[in-house]
Amino acid sequence: MTMAGRLGQKMNQDEVHQNQIMRELFLKEFRTQKLYTQYHVNPLRKAKFLNLVHHAAQGPKKKYSETQTEAQEIGWDPHPLINPDRQDRRLNHFRVYHDITLYKAKLWSLGEDDHQK
């Protein structure tokens, strides 16, 4: 038989033989692999690990004296810069309705599309 004939035979193996080869490969892999489900901390480094976990659990204000990113600057100091007096008209611009604004608001809520007029 020629070399091409032998290769052709190997290529045309039936499914049973292929499944047997795959099964043997899986069994070999399973023998060498171990699934670890129980983990523990190295007792020699336990204190360092616990310190690291406690440090990570703290908020950023307790970890750092200043902001580390620009995104942290928003809300870093939660106290308002000025007294939030609701009666001060310079800072509080409440929506005021008069007759004409109530009329237009009602028209727009009904679906009229003349917002430009």
Side-chain angles (χ1 to χ4, degrees):
M1 225 187 230
T2 64
M3 184 67 94
R6 289 183 194 157
L7 289 177
Q9 279 183 334
K10 288 185 181 180
M11 294 298 249
N12 294 330
Q13 294 174 349
D14 58 347
E15 286 186 41
V16 175
H17 188 65
Q18 289 176 353
N19 285 338
Q20 183 181 6
I21 292 172
M22 290 300 290
R23 183 174 179 271
E24 290 175 7
L25 285 173
F26 289 138
L27 289 175
K28 283 181 185 178
E29 287 180 5
F30 286 141
R31 277 188 296 214
T32 59
Q33 292 179 352
K34 288 185 181 179
L35 179 63
Y36 292 101
T37 57
Q38 295 180 350
Y39 301 99
H40 63 279
V41 178
N42 185 350
L44 300 176
R45 296 183 184 213
K46 189 172 188 176
K48 183 178 179 182
F49 176 75
L50 289 177
N51 288 339
L52 183 71
V53 169
H54 290 304
H55 181 72
Q58 292 177 346
K61 289 191 80 168
K62 291 182 179 178
K63 284 190 226 178
Y64 312 110
S65 60
E66 295 180 353
T67 60
Q68 300 297 306
T69 63
E70 288 189 23
Q72 285 180 343
E73 290 179 5
I74 301 170
W76 190 261
D77 293 318
H79 307 294
L81 298 175
I82 60 170
N83 187 13
D85 184 16
R86 300 287 286 176
Q87 301 300 321
D88 190 3
R89 289 288 186 190
R90 295 175 297 168
L91 300 174
N92 298 307
H93 304 284
F94 299 108
R95 182 175 284 184
V96 179
Y97 287 108
H98 294 289
D99 292 338
I100 190 69
T101 56
L102 285 172
Y103 171 76
K104 279 308 243 186
K106 184 67 175 173
L107 279 177
W108 288 342
S109 69
L110 293 175
E112 187 172 321
D113 291 334
D114 67 339
H115 292 283
Q116 304 301 325
K117 293 181 182 180

